[in-house]
Amino acid sequence: MTKQYTVADIIAISRHWIQEKYGDRADFVGAHLVGSLHHMPRDTVFPSYRDIDLAIVLDSITEQDIDDAEYEGLLLEAILVPKSRYTDVERMLSDACNASIFASVDNILLDPRSELIPIAEQVSAQYSQKKWM
């Protein structure tokens, strides 16, 4: 029988994997949720057939890449994203996917340089304005 995890469990496991794999890298800016996971209530059971979508923000890359991994019996799809995508709040707000993710600071998994949370706070403050809806 496959172990059942809640969304909160999945987030904790993902955060641990990110910290182990990327946390000591000099180019690691931070990480956040992507995909449907960021919309799911934290106490919901996470479907075991689904992968876990994560964004890993690095300042050493210029093009997006993918790092697929299996960890603790879970399938992780880490999208490696250049930091340059996170420098303009208006650009973030005009992208419906990123705006909905950054509308909640809770979707930021790791922010060791304190660069992602301030952006999320700015996006969150403006997200509900009719201009962005």
Side-chain angles (χ1 to χ4, degrees):
M1 179 178 199
T2 305
K3 181 173 178 171
Q4 287 193 330
Y5 293 103
T6 64
V7 170
D9 295 332
I10 295 297
I11 290 171
I13 292 166
S14 299
R15 188 177 280 125
H16 189 260
W17 176 78
I18 295 165
Q19 185 63 47
E20 279 186 358
K21 180 142 189 190
Y22 293 96
D24 291 335
R25 287 178 51 159
D27 63 342
F28 178 63
V29 176
H32 62 84
L33 299 174
V34 292
S36 61
L37 188 62
H38 79 280
H39 292 295
M40 299 174 76
R42 301 302 198 242
D43 60 350
T44 301
V45 173
F46 187 78
S48 61
Y49 61 87
R50 298 190 68 177
D51 66 350
I52 300 152
D53 299 314
L54 309 165
I56 310 298
V57 183
L58 304 171
D59 65 11
S60 64
I61 63 174
T62 57
E63 297 293 324
Q64 181 173 301
D65 200 359
I66 302 291
D67 180 8
D68 289 327
E70 185 176 333
Y71 183 74
E72 305 261 337
L74 301 168
L75 298 175
L76 304 174
E77 181 176 356
I79 302 163
L80 307 180
V81 186
K83 179 187 170 190
S84 61
R85 291 193 188 168
Y86 299 84
T87 56
D88 184 343
V89 172
E90 284 217 5
R91 180 177 167 198
M92 298 281 295
L93 283 160
S94 67
D95 177 337
C97 180
N98 276 332
S100 68
I101 292 166
F102 273 72
S104 173
V105 174
D106 292 341
N107 292 321
I108 308 298
L109 298 175
L110 292 165
D111 188 19
R113 298 184 188 179
S114 299
E115 294 184 34
L116 298 180
I117 290 175
I119 294 168
E121 289 170 340
Q122 291 177 52
V123 169
S124 180
Q126 298 179 49
Y127 181 66
S128 63
Q129 294 177 8
K130 188 174 184 174
K131 176 181 177 179
W132 304 115
M133 298 304 282

